[in-house]
Amino acid sequence: MAASHLLYHSPSFPKTLNHSLNQNPFAQNLVLPLKATFKPRVLRAVLSQSNTAKPQLHDSKTTTNFQHCFTKSEDGFLYCEGVKVHEIMESVDKRPFYLYSKPQITRNVEAYKDALDGLTSIIGYAIKANNNLKILEHLRQLGCGSVLVSGNELRLALRSGFDPKRCIFNGNGKLLEDLVLAAQEGVFINIDSEFDLENIVAAARIAGKRVNVLLRINPDVDPQVHHYVATGNKNSKFGIRNEKLQWFLDAVKEHPNELKLVDIFRDAATIMVNYIDQIRAQGFEVNYLNIGGGLGIDYHHSGAILPTPRDLIDTVRELVLSRNLNLIIEPGRSLIANTCCLVNRVTGVKTNGSKNFIVIDGSMAELIRPSLYDAYQHIELISPAPANAEVANFDVVGPVCESADFLGKDRQLPTPAKGTGLVVHDAGAYCMSMASTYNLKMRPPEYWVEDNGSVSKIRHGETFEDHTRFFEGL
């Protein structure tokens, strides 16, 4: 989840700079200009001040506000691609469910494809963000590759029809049997540690294939995200440290029949030109640059003007073209998060002490990000409240027997009636993929609105019978 932050630095550096592979180039300065006339770009989210004067991310470029696929109409109802969410809720089983916009998924992918125009590239969708088979098939049809962090994600990618040669296998604890499958299929494999390299060599010998490998360098850069999802600092379990890079290069050289180094992968979307030049000078055909994850989203629905895919790609465009590199990018959240919401029903309203609670049928079992990361996701009612409904601050909570079972805290909402629909927005990434059956809350069904406005089920909801089936015949 390294891409959940909204800050990117230019990867361009002076041609006269000469960092050693055994030094940490980030110790002194994170942003260095390519030449005296080049202005480093720092991408940040900025809040919209008015409709007439919108701030810009760059002096030379205008950025437009993102239009969400879920919109409140003047009638007070929430719509998804023009379809009333209340009507969808009334037409499906009375249980929490995830609702997606298929057209928004397409629009998100097209934004990256447009930004990558003129570059040889792979959009590697991070399957960990959302592993719905129908969504994966759609992304594959749109031309995406995939990024995997487990053997089962690899198997799902193959079942979804992804080209293995456009798949990247990451992770810090890859198992030998999964590495053998990846080697057999021709998947890019990321070297994360000394023992990982040893296992990849063994897998290559078992498969009888030479493996295209990546080196993931841990740059010790603070990504300014929750510490549970940070991957680029020096104490992270992911990647290799700068000072160990030469050791890994030498180790790769010792196994020319098993390994071919094709890529340098540096977290935080920054890389030194000198690293590529020095590694190529040692005889390696490094021809890929992997800049990791994509962009964040406006979870607060605050009117923030966010960096776009083009803003992100432009930070590395000169480097990619100047060194004739193939660019790999691994978006997950920015492709899928804003395409979905979790739809719930209000069970009731209560007050304890100074706290007001809206109790819903959804819970941390269906959507754990607020409980796990203290994450904020926008919450609203899907239909207009009665004119006399009191507006108050509520904690929105579920029925799970944990004090941590909340979807949002201190949300100002009209007091809802029993049975009212309530949605948690931007739930496409790291929500359903992290759902559990705690308290025997069965994982919910998933639906999407098609291009023609029809609604289709894309995953069956789990049932009590599904749970008891695991014990049959024992």
Side-chain angles (χ1 to χ4, degrees):
M1 302 164 78
S4 58
H5 54 89
L6 299 177
L7 176 63
Y8 293 88
H9 296 286
S10 169
S12 304
F13 297 87
K15 294 179 181 178
T16 57
L17 213 58
N18 187 27
H19 284 290
S20 166
L21 294 178
N22 294 317
Q23 294 176 341
N24 183 352
F26 295 91
Q28 310 227 338
N29 200 336
L30 290 179
V31 183
L32 298 173
L34 179 65
K35 50 192 175 184
T37 58
F38 184 79
K39 182 179 180 180
R41 287 170 292 193
V42 178
L43 307 189
R44 299 182 187 274
V46 289
L47 295 180
S48 176
Q49 303 298 319
S50 70
N51 292 330
T52 57
K54 297 177 181 178
Q56 296 178 346
L57 286 172
H58 305 308
D59 294 338
S60 61
K61 199 176 288 186
T62 300
T63 305
T64 57
N65 278 309
F66 171 75
Q67 184 172 352
H68 208 279
C69 54
F70 290 93
T71 56
K72 266 285 180 71
S73 180
E74 292 181 358
D75 62 7
F77 284 92
L78 183 69
Y79 289 79
C80 177
E81 303 290 352
V83 182
K84 192 178 289 186
V85 176
H86 175 78
E87 293 181 354
I88 298 174
M89 186 182 78
E90 293 300 319
S91 66
V92 301
D93 292 342
K94 290 189 175 182
R95 58 185 296 184
F97 65 93
Y98 281 97
L99 178 64
Y100 299 81
S101 161
K102 185 178 182 181
Q104 186 62 57
I105 297 173
T106 301
R107 290 193 291 267
N108 289 348
V109 173
E110 291 300 324
Y112 273 101
K113 291 170 72 173
D114 290 345
L116 290 162
D117 185 45
L119 301 177
T120 304
S121 61
I122 296 175
I123 302 174
Y125 169 70
I127 290 181
K128 65 179 181 176
N130 187 306
N131 55 33
N132 183 288
L133 179 62
K134 302 301 291 184
I135 291 173
L136 295 181
E137 290 175 344
H138 182 53
L139 290 168
R140 184 259 303 165
Q141 291 167 358
L142 292 172
C144 291
S146 65
V147 177
L148 328 157
V149 292
S150 74
N152 280 339
E153 286 190 357
L154 170 56
R155 293 174 183 89
L156 186 61
L158 296 175
R159 183 171 296 187
S160 303
F162 284 98
D163 180 354
K165 295 177 177 59
R166 294 173 61 81
C167 295
I168 302 98
F169 193 4
N170 292 332
N172 70 306
K174 299 182 286 291
L175 301 179
L176 179 59
E177 62 188 75
D178 299 330
L179 287 169
V180 172
L181 175 61
Q184 290 171 338
E185 296 291 340
V187 171
F188 289 92
I189 302 179
N190 180 14
I191 299 174
D192 190 86
S193 64
E194 292 89 343
F195 68 80
D196 199 35
L197 184 146
E198 181 180 337
N199 285 337
I200 295 169
V201 170
R205 290 172 177 168
I206 293 170
K209 297 285 186 68
R210 191 183 188 201
V211 177
N212 288 327
V213 294
L214 299 68
L215 280 176
R216 178 173 185 165
I217 305 171
N218 180 326
D220 192 16
V221 173
D222 180 7
Q224 301 178 5
V225 296
H226 192 283
H227 62 276
Y228 282 4
V229 298
T231 62
N233 60 63
K234 66 181 179 181
N235 295 317
S236 171
K237 71 176 184 177
F238 299 102
I240 63 175
R241 295 288 294 128
N242 292 320
E243 60 267 21
K244 292 184 178 181
L245 177 57
Q246 188 60 57
W247 184 93
F248 280 92
L249 293 175
D250 293 339
V252 172
K253 289 179 185 177
E254 294 174 4
H255 301 283
N257 297 325
E258 292 85 12
L259 307 178
K260 179 181 180 182
L261 178 63
V262 297
D263 183 16
I264 293 295
F265 175 5
R266 180 176 289 280
D267 281 335
T270 57
I271 191 169
M272 294 293 289
V273 173
N274 296 75
Y275 271 167
I276 293 175
D277 293 343
Q278 291 180 47
I279 293 171
R280 282 178 169 176
Q282 295 188 38
F284 293 103
E285 297 178 12
V286 176
N287 48 19
Y288 285 86
L289 168 63
N290 187 329
I291 62 171
L295 298 165
I297 68 167
D298 182 14
Y299 278 112
H300 285 262
H301 289 208
S302 59
I305 299 176
L306 299 176
T308 66
R310 183 168 294 277
D311 292 320
L312 172 61
I313 301 307
D314 281 350
T315 66
V316 295
R317 191 179 302 275
E318 291 182 27
L319 169 59
V320 171
L321 291 174
S322 69
R323 294 305 188 272
N324 193 28
L325 294 165
N326 303 294
L327 183 63
I328 299 175
I329 187 167
E330 302 182 354
R333 182 190 316 276
S334 57
L335 285 183
I336 198 68
N338 62 24
T339 71
C340 173
C341 64
L342 175 67
V343 184
N344 313 269
R345 290 177 186 269
V346 173
T347 303
V349 177
K350 65 182 291 186
T351 299
N352 277 344
S354 61
K355 275 285 186 180
N356 300 315
F357 299 92
I358 297 174
V359 184
I360 59 174
D361 55 357
S363 71
M364 64 184 289
E366 290 85 8
L367 197 155
I368 198 172
R369 290 185 72 253
S371 299
L372 185 60
Y373 305 137
D374 198 26
Y376 181 99
Q377 292 182 233
H378 186 61
I379 293 174
E380 66 179 325
L381 305 180
I382 69 172
S383 55
N388 62 350
E390 180 184 357
V391 176
N393 283 351
F394 294 94
D395 284 7
V396 179
V397 301
V400 164
C401 191
E402 294 285 347
S403 295
D405 180 26
F406 64 90
L407 283 300
K409 291 185 174 181
D410 294 320
R411 304 303 177 88
Q412 190 174 80
L413 294 165
T415 303
K418 180 180 180 180
T420 300
L422 177 149
V423 298
V424 181
H425 279 287
D426 304 311
Y430 306 105
C431 292
M432 182 60 177
S433 65
M434 298 177 75
S436 75
T437 58
Y438 187 46
N439 285 193
L440 283 185
K441 292 272 291 174
M442 296 295 105
R443 280 180 284 251
E446 295 177 287
Y447 301 84
W448 65 17
V449 177
E450 303 265 11
D451 294 333
N452 62 5
S454 63
V455 178
S456 301
K457 180 183 283 189
I458 58 173
R459 176 174 173 146
H460 296 293
E462 295 179 6
T463 66
F464 178 73
E465 288 68 31
D466 291 326
H467 176 73
T468 58
R469 192 173 297 122
F470 291 115
F471 307 96
E472 292 177 359
L474 298 180

